[in-house]
Amino acid sequence: MEKTARTDSNHTHPDLEVGREALYGLLGYPLGHSFSRTYFNNKFAQEGINAEYVNFELPAIEQLPQVLATHPQLQGFNVTIPYKQAVIAYLDDITPEAREIGAVNVVRVTRQGQDVHLNGYNSDIIGFCDSLRPMLKASHRQALVLGTGGASKAVCCGLEQLGIGWTYVSRHATSGQLTYADLTDEVMHSHTLIVNCTPLGMFPNVGTCPDIPYNRLTPDHLLYDLVYNPEPTLFMQRGAAQGATTKGGLEMLHRQAEASWQFWHGKD
């Protein structure tokens, strides 16, 4: 895939500790909600890995080439909102699974001289399936997927792998998906798994949640929230008040982070 033309804008990271053997990071904007930096730096400290993980909080994806140019020890990075789809234009290769999903959240950086080669992967599907699987019951055969962004596409692929049917729910009426106004008693009864793929409820906007009819939830429902900060989210709290089982995104974060580490080290 042809890369987007490089930009001349300068972007260096003030927290970079010079002399580290390896550098990894998180690309997104904003990043105040993210636990990835703490997770990986704790991992490096505990396992004696000579590396550092930093945040690349870029207001524009066009600054990515300059990040690569000014951080020659960068070996890989994660990608989060809002760049999981936009980053694809900068990649040299992308796995078939990530291409099918249409979103990348892991990039491996390989350097040969002045040439920089970027490989794109998606570890969201691994983290989601591994964390959801133990909670599933026979009644969880149909899911409502709230939101239609890059994370939701990975979730839908994961649901298909788990043998679960799914339907998108969006604020906007589009063929093949529901709006929040369409969530009738019948729909809620037949869809006992509800996955929040929107950023609603994410820190610092902890007082928000998807506009589903919470009064129609039952103990048969399982609510899974990709948001992990805070935990529990308002979405989870309102579901639990109706007797529903709830799960936040922290375990998914940890599992996809470990999958990222494998991708960065060439274990495809």
Side-chain angles (χ1 to χ4, degrees):
M1 180 177 294
E2 184 177 356
K3 296 181 182 179
T4 299
R6 292 186 178 274
T7 176
D8 291 331
S9 62
N10 184 38
H11 186 279
T12 59
H13 199 281
D15 295 333
L16 176 60
E17 184 175 332
V18 178
R20 290 278 186 171
E21 180 179 355
L23 180 69
Y24 303 89
L26 176 64
L27 171 66
Y29 188 85
L31 294 177
H33 68 280
S34 178
F35 290 171
S36 294
R37 179 176 179 174
T38 298
Y39 178 85
F40 274 107
N41 284 325
N42 286 342
K43 172 185 175 69
F44 297 156
Q46 292 168 4
E47 299 181 21
I49 298 170
N50 188 20
E52 184 180 11
Y53 191 99
V54 301
N55 286 343
F56 295 109
E57 194 168 44
L58 304 186
I61 187 66
E62 289 80 11
Q63 293 177 293
L64 174 58
Q66 193 62 25
V67 168
L68 295 167
T70 55
H71 298 86
Q73 64 273 60
L74 184 64
Q75 297 189 8
F77 56 93
N78 292 115
V79 185
T80 189
I81 297 171
Y83 299 136
K84 288 186 177 185
Q85 295 165 304
V87 74
I88 293 175
Y90 293 82
L91 304 178
D92 298 287
D93 291 297
I94 181 173
T95 63
E97 187 170 67
R99 188 180 302 279
E100 178 185 356
I101 294 170
V104 164
N105 73 319
V106 184
V107 176
R108 184 171 74 207
V109 181
T110 306
R111 299 176 186 270
Q112 294 183 338
Q114 296 299 312
D115 185 51
V116 180
H117 192 92
L118 302 181
N119 286 74
Y121 307 86
N122 192 297
S123 67
D124 280 339
I125 189 171
I126 298 172
F128 174 69
C129 288
D130 287 353
S131 62
L132 175 64
R133 190 179 289 108
M135 306 193 68
L136 293 174
K137 297 179 180 178
S139 59
H140 298 138
R141 306 320 307 161
Q142 294 291 327
L144 296 175
V145 178
L146 312 181
T148 57
S152 68
K153 293 176 175 60
V155 163
C156 291
C157 286
L159 291 172
E160 290 176 2
Q161 290 185 9
L162 296 169
I164 299 172
W166 54 270
T167 302
Y168 276 134
V169 181
S170 173
R171 292 171 298 169
H172 309 291
T174 304
S175 176
Q177 65 188 38
L178 301 175
T179 67
Y180 288 92
D182 296 325
L183 301 182
T184 62
D185 286 338
E186 181 180 357
V187 171
M188 297 296 289
H189 177 74
S190 59
H191 294 75
T192 54
L193 173 60
I194 304 176
V195 185
N196 177 35
C197 301
T198 78
L200 290 171
M202 180 186 296
F203 178 84
N205 300 312
V206 298
T208 61
C209 62
D211 188 22
I212 67 171
Y214 292 92
N215 63 324
R216 292 173 175 151
L217 297 174
T218 70
D220 292 331
H221 282 87
L222 169 58
L223 272 59
Y224 189 106
D225 200 337
L226 267 63
V227 174
Y228 57 84
N229 181 13
E231 191 168 350
T233 60
L234 185 57
F235 171 71
M236 295 167 63
Q237 294 177 51
R238 296 188 66 180
Q242 299 297 124
T245 302
T246 64
K247 174 84 170 184
L250 189 59
E251 183 184 1
M252 176 179 169
L253 171 72
H254 292 167
R255 289 181 178 270
Q256 70 90 5
E258 289 303 316
S260 298
W261 185 253
Q262 298 300 314
F263 289 141
W264 290 332
H265 292 83
K267 299 176 183 179
D268 300 347

